[in-house]
Amino acid sequence: QVQLVESGGGLVQAGGSLRLSCAASGRTFSDYAMGWFRQAPGKEREFVGTIRWLSGNTYYANFVKGRFTISRDIAKNTVYLQMNGLTPEDTAVYYCAAASDWIATTATQYKSWGQGTQVTVSS
């Protein structure tokens, strides 16, 4: 079982940036994918993007439109979500998750989840 802990959320003004971190520990696969999802109040959990751990290949949801970037630091067992050009529509709880599939874009493909971190974008 992989344990995931997110950090870096907070309140930011529209147009601003945030970098979320997700530290992984415990039992991991030899190669796996780390994904980011978000869930706004009253809405379903939404795929943001994913990164393949060994290769660093990434895949993003269309709405990201080049504003978000996922990266990882293998030595630190940490994945990052850099978010630029934030808008109030990006307000949500952001979750990281681990999957053994590539490319995994649905929540059911992810077997381990973090507790989430709140991102609030003010207008």
Side-chain angles (χ1 to χ4, degrees):
Q1 187 76 8
V2 178
Q3 288 79 46
L4 304 171
V5 179
E6 301 99 333
S7 61
L11 174 64
V12 63
Q13 289 188 334
S17 300
L18 277 177
R19 188 178 80 157
L20 306 183
S21 300
C22 175
S25 62
R27 185 176 180 181
T28 58
F29 319 121
S30 58
D31 188 16
Y32 56 100
M34 293 292 291
W36 286 96
F37 287 76
R38 67 184 188 182
Q39 189 165 19
K43 294 188 177 181
E44 294 186 354
R45 194 164 295 191
E46 178 180 42
F47 171 75
V48 175
T50 183
I51 185 167
R52 194 163 188 177
W53 190 252
L54 291 184
S55 67
N57 290 342
T58 55
Y59 181 83
Y60 298 96
N62 288 335
F63 73 82
V64 168
K65 296 180 181 178
R67 298 184 299 132
F68 296 177
T69 303
I70 298 175
S71 61
R72 87 276 189 254
D73 186 327
I74 294 178
K76 294 183 179 180
N77 247 11
T78 299
V79 64
Y80 303 97
L81 176 63
Q82 176 68 44
M83 304 186 291
N84 301 324
L86 287 164
T87 73
E89 289 69 38
D90 295 315
T91 295
V93 177
Y94 284 71
Y95 299 89
C96 69
S100 57
D101 298 332
W102 179 261
I103 296 170
T105 62
T106 63
T108 55
Q109 292 176 282
Y110 289 81
K111 305 307 179 186
S112 298
W113 291 83
Q115 81 288 352
T117 185
Q118 177 70 47
V119 171
T120 303
V121 185
S122 63
S123 58

